[in-house]
Amino acid sequence: MIVSFMLLFILFLIYAILPTIFIRMSGRKIVKRIHEPAIALTFDDGPNPEYTPQLLDLLKKYGVKATFFVVGSKVKAYPDIIKRMSQEGHTIGIHHYNHISSWILTPFHLKRQLQMTEQAIHELTNKKVTFYRPPWGNFNLFSLLLSKRFKVIMWSHIFGDWKAAKGKNGLLNQLLQATEAGYVLLLHDCGETWGADKLAPYYMLKCLDIYLQENVKKGTKFIALEEVNF
């Protein structure tokens, strides 16, 4: 029993944990910052029928373009939101068909997650899907091989905004300090995933409104990933 457990643990270490550590630390074939005089705002886990339209309204208010890493099953559920994202000039990337970690996906199932989400986005936007961010930033031994058609985007700043408590206390100050050109900021427009709070996007939007107001006034440029020269 102990031997079997140890064997499974070693296999999991080799398949999931070590590749994630290596890829993140080495920066191999992933993007953490952009070489542009601008900030890339990115949003994960949507679309959400309540908060994503509010976010799109907010971005439109300030004339800001952003990038959305969407869950394929939600793309199917809320096609009008995806169409609006595309029509308003935002970039749409892959965040798996279900919000599931690459750690527990076989190569076959990871490939299907990518293909199904790519197809769902393309059918609604008629645009080539170029960008991919794995849920939780988790990789497995085959992730880079299976996603080689895409540009894998990570982040320079992650704020923990999937928790309502962070949105109430701390998020705004952290955002206001994230103003350097080249930053890739990660926020969340849906609080329905494992470990998240449903009300978290409400507080994120309040903080983001202040952040954008301050930075647009200062002339800070924001850019969608489709506009980046990689």
Side-chain angles (χ1 to χ4, degrees), residues 48-112:
N48 175 273
E50 181 177 2
Y51 294 114
T52 305
Q54 293 179 38
L55 173 55
L56 291 170
D57 289 344
L58 185 61
L59 296 171
K60 190 173 184 179
K61 173 183 173 182
Y62 292 106
V64 167
K65 299 295 186 289
T67 301
F68 291 83
F69 289 94
V70 296
V71 176
S73 59
K74 294 180 180 179
V75 172
K76 290 285 191 180
Y78 309 111
D80 290 343
I81 299 177
I82 298 298
K83 290 177 183 177
R84 181 183 170 188
M85 281 180 192
S86 180
Q87 289 164 0
E88 295 184 0
H90 302 294
T91 298
I92 305 173
I94 295 170
H95 199 50
H96 288 184
Y97 193 82
N98 307 106
H99 197 280
I100 187 169
S101 172
S102 300
W103 286 358
I104 57 174
L105 290 173
T106 66
F108 171 79
H109 287 101
L110 174 56
K111 185 177 180 180
R112 287 289 293 153

Side-chain angles (χ1 to χ4, degrees), residues 165-229:
K166 173 51 73 75
K168 294 178 186 178
N169 299 290
L171 176 59
L172 179 58
N173 287 336
Q174 286 185 309
L175 277 172
L176 291 174
Q177 294 173 35
T179 59
E180 186 177 316
Y183 282 170
V184 177
L185 309 186
L186 168 55
L187 295 165
H188 296 78
D189 58 327
C190 182
E192 296 177 337
T193 56
W194 184 84
D197 295 333
K198 285 191 176 182
L199 277 176
Y202 170 81
Y203 297 103
M204 181 278 289
L205 288 168
K206 292 176 80 69
C207 295
L208 182 63
D209 193 351
I210 298 169
Y211 172 76
L212 290 177
Q213 184 179 24
E214 297 249 335
N215 280 278
V216 169
K217 191 188 303 179
K218 290 191 300 184
T220 303
K221 185 180 178 184
F222 294 92
I223 193 170
L225 290 175
E226 285 176 346
E227 305 171 82
V228 174
N229 183 25

Side-chain angles (χ1 to χ4, degrees), residues 10-189:
I10 291 169
L11 290 174
F12 184 71
L13 199 66
I14 294 170
Y15 184 75
I17 305 295
L18 292 179
T20 297
I21 293 171
F22 174 75
I23 292 167
R24 286 196 186 188
M25 290 186 66
S26 70
R28 181 173 177 260
K29 295 187 178 180
I30 64 173
V31 174
K32 296 181 181 179
R33 294 186 59 150
I34 56 172
H35 300 290
E36 299 281 349
I39 293 170
L41 277 177
T42 70
F43 299 91
D44 283 8
D45 299 354
N48 175 273
E50 181 177 2
Y51 294 114
T52 305
Q54 293 179 38
L55 173 55
L56 291 170
D57 289 344
L58 185 61
L59 296 171
K60 190 173 184 179
K61 173 183 173 182
Y62 292 106
V64 167
K65 299 295 186 289
T67 301
F68 291 83
F69 289 94
V70 296
V71 176
S73 59
K74 294 180 180 179
V75 172
K76 290 285 191 180
Y78 309 111
D80 290 343
I81 299 177
I82 298 298
K83 290 177 183 177
R84 181 183 170 188
M85 281 180 192
S86 180
Q87 289 164 0
E88 295 184 0
H90 302 294
T91 298
I92 305 173
I94 295 170
H95 199 50
H96 288 184
Y97 193 82
N98 307 106
H99 197 280
I100 187 169
S101 172
S102 300
W103 286 358
I104 57 174
L105 290 173
T106 66
F108 171 79
H109 287 101
L110 174 56
K111 185 177 180 180
R112 287 289 293 153
Q113 291 280 323
L114 295 171
Q115 287 176 335
M116 290 169 67
T117 311
E118 179 184 22
Q119 182 179 351
I121 297 168
H122 180 74
E123 285 177 354
L124 293 173
T125 66
N126 201 32
K127 292 181 180 178
K128 181 181 179 183
V129 182
T130 306
F131 301 100
Y132 165 54
R133 175 183 284 152
W136 294 291
N138 291 344
F139 298 89
N140 66 40
L141 197 58
F142 298 93
S143 290
L144 293 182
L145 175 65
L146 294 173
S147 64
K148 65 181 180 181
R149 294 186 294 113
F150 308 108
K151 183 72 69 175
V152 181
I153 307 296
M154 297 297 280
W155 54 80
S156 64
H157 290 66
I158 186 168
F159 301 97
D161 65 299
W162 56 87
K163 290 295 187 183
K166 173 51 73 75
K168 294 178 186 178
N169 299 290
L171 176 59
L172 179 58
N173 287 336
Q174 286 185 309
L175 277 172
L176 291 174
Q177 294 173 35
T179 59
E180 186 177 316
Y183 282 170
V184 177
L185 309 186
L186 168 55
L187 295 165
H188 296 78
D189 58 327

